[in-house]
Amino acid sequence: MPQPRLLTAVLVVALSASAAAQSALGDAVDLYRRAVEQDHIRGAVLYVAQGGRVVLHEAVGFRHHAYRVPMQKDSLFRMASNTKPVVATAIMMLAEDGRLSVDDPVAKHLRSFDSGRSRGITIAQLLSHSSGLRIQPIFHPFGPGDDVSLQAAVAKFGREGPAAPPGEYSYSNAGYNTLGAIIEVVSGMPLEAFLKTRIYDPLGMIDTLNHEDPAKLARMATVYRGRRGPGGAVTFTQGFTPGDAPDFPVIRASGGMISTAADYAAFLEMFRQGGVYDGRRLLEGETVTAMITPRVKMPDGGSYGYGWMIGADGSYSHTGSDGTMAWVDPARGLVGMVLTQSPGGINPVREFREKVAAALTAAPSSARRP
């Protein structure tokens, strides 16, 4: 049976990019065209900017595979753990406001952590996944009569406490949900309201939120969960589909963000420019440096800072379990994203990043941090 013709958005390349760079970027996009043709993934939005100028923004494949609905450049994605750098940013904003310190014990702000097991955990350890919390569920189930709120859910984590002494890296969704509860307590605002007021609105992230918007469901991509079989073939099972009920009854800080490539690029650009975006400072340069400084070693050889995975080359990035990847490459003045909703598929993101880096080797003068 012949493969359906792929519907793709138009490639946008800055006029300043050389012909050779344009050709190399085209090769990078071809990785994803082939991945869709081979049914290794179902669709993707690819985005790269250098020095604040977009050099690549393209959509390939399908937003809904069964109905052959094409992916679009403004498609909405479940960003999953790409939420974590945003939540870490919110914590650091409160630190700049003098409302908390990363060295504070969590118990200073959340009464449930004021126990023998949890009293020693600090905010810095939550930020760097070194709190010792090994709690597996995103949230413990809510029972009849329970207070269904982020703070009530996190109180159970405090009572359960760490499974290991703080200090060693162990990825912790519970830890980041705890940071969300701290944001609510310290700011006196619901988590999503704080994120919208302090981050989304100032950055012009008009399509970013932390729950599904019924008015925008038609732009959301369907999630297809892949499983590799013998010979490397991928079988996809349809997961979240626009219109499904939310996964959880409360807004969470470990994930849950919904965004577009253009919106999340503004957040990445703010970091690339040392805390400034469109002439407006959201974070002090020293705060950005603190967040992208390695804090704990990760098992794969990289490091984790405050909300960011940090590579040996000085780039920093984060991934999401529904198939998203975003990074900042300061040396080349780059921000980039590969947004899919095909977790478990065969995603050529590493080769894509390598091709982009080779195509855009030198950072333009406008890419240098102010």
Side-chain angles (χ1 to χ4, degrees):
M1 181 176 178
Q3 290 287 335
R5 182 174 66 87
L6 297 181
L7 299 175
T8 65
V10 176
L11 179 66
V12 178
V13 180
L15 294 177
S16 59
S18 68
Q22 292 181 33
S23 176
L25 290 172
D27 290 344
V29 175
D30 283 343
L31 293 171
Y32 281 89
R33 291 199 182 99
R34 289 193 295 270
V36 174
E37 289 168 354
Q38 296 166 357
D39 204 26
H40 290 169
I41 63 168
R42 289 288 164 88
V45 171
L46 312 172
Y47 183 101
V48 180
Q50 184 175 41
R53 290 196 276 189
V54 179
V55 296
L56 170 66
H57 190 187
E58 185 159 354
V60 300
F62 304 99
R63 192 168 73 244
H64 193 294
H65 185 263
Y67 295 129
R68 292 301 192 262
V69 179
M71 191 70 80
Q72 301 287 352
K73 290 188 288 185
D74 68 347
S75 292
L76 288 155
F77 290 82
R78 286 160 51 110
M79 300 295 287
S81 285
N82 280 105
T83 309
K84 288 183 171 72
V86 177
V87 167
T89 297
I91 285 285
M92 301 306 285
M93 286 176 163
L94 289 170
E96 287 188 352
D97 293 345
R99 307 289 293 279
L100 58 77
S101 166
V102 297
D103 297 321
D104 286 347
V106 175
K108 180 176 179 178
H109 306 285
L110 300 179
R111 184 175 300 173
S112 64
F113 278 73
D114 191 13
S115 67
R117 292 183 58 80
S118 299
R119 193 173 292 125
I121 298 174
T122 67
I123 291 174
Q125 289 165 343
L126 296 179
L127 287 166
S128 59
H129 293 296
S130 59
S131 66
L133 292 173
R134 303 287 192 272
I135 298 163
Q136 291 306 310
I138 299 291
F139 293 122
H140 291 300
F142 292 98
D146 280 357
D147 173 11
V148 181
S149 69
L150 176 61
Q151 292 179 43
V154 166
K156 297 178 181 179
F157 300 155
R159 290 192 290 269
E160 184 171 337
E168 181 180 339
Y169 176 85
S170 181
Y171 195 83
S172 177
N173 286 311
Y176 264 76
N177 284 319
T178 301
L179 290 170
I182 292 171
I183 292 167
E184 291 195 339
V185 169
V186 172
S187 71
M189 301 170 65
L191 175 62
E192 187 173 31
F194 185 88
L195 297 178
K196 184 176 188 302
T197 300
R198 296 292 298 271
I199 299 174
Y200 304 158
D201 286 351
L203 289 174
M205 298 171 71
I206 58 174
D207 282 324
T208 301
L209 62 169
N210 294 76
H211 64 277
E212 290 80 9
D213 182 348
K216 297 182 178 182
L217 287 179
R219 289 168 52 202
M220 285 196 69
T222 298
V223 176
Y224 294 94
R225 301 198 176 279
R227 181 184 295 274
R228 300 190 199 186
V234 181
T235 301
F236 286 103
T237 302
Q238 187 169 316
F240 170 83
T241 303
D244 285 354
D247 294 340
F248 299 95
V250 299
I251 300 299
R252 55 198 165 101
S254 62
M257 171 188 278
I258 295 165
S259 194
T260 64
D263 268 18
Y264 204 77
F267 176 72
L268 298 176
E269 277 291 339
M270 182 268 289
F271 267 85
R272 186 191 68 81
Q273 297 181 50
V276 174
Y277 183 77
D278 196 23
R280 179 173 182 174
R281 181 167 291 283
L282 276 74
L283 285 176
E284 295 299 328
E286 294 83 357
T287 299
V288 171
T289 298
M291 293 181 69
I292 62 175
T293 296
R295 303 288 171 176
V296 293
K297 291 290 186 183
M298 298 170 62
D300 65 358
S303 301
Y304 206 94
Y306 292 159
W308 290 106
M309 301 171 181
I310 301 159
D313 63 351
S315 65
Y316 48 98
S317 62
H318 218 288
T319 59
S321 62
D322 282 329
T324 53
M325 168 64 166
W327 74 94
V328 179
D329 181 345
R332 296 177 176 85
L334 298 178
V335 304
M337 274 170 283
V338 172
L339 304 183
T340 83
Q341 301 282 249
S342 300
I346 302 174
N347 187 339
V349 64
R350 179 174 295 181
E351 188 176 356
F352 178 83
R353 285 187 63 178
E354 290 171 352
K355 285 182 176 294
V356 167
L360 303 169
T361 301
S365 59
S366 60
R368 299 191 185 104
R369 180 179 296 174

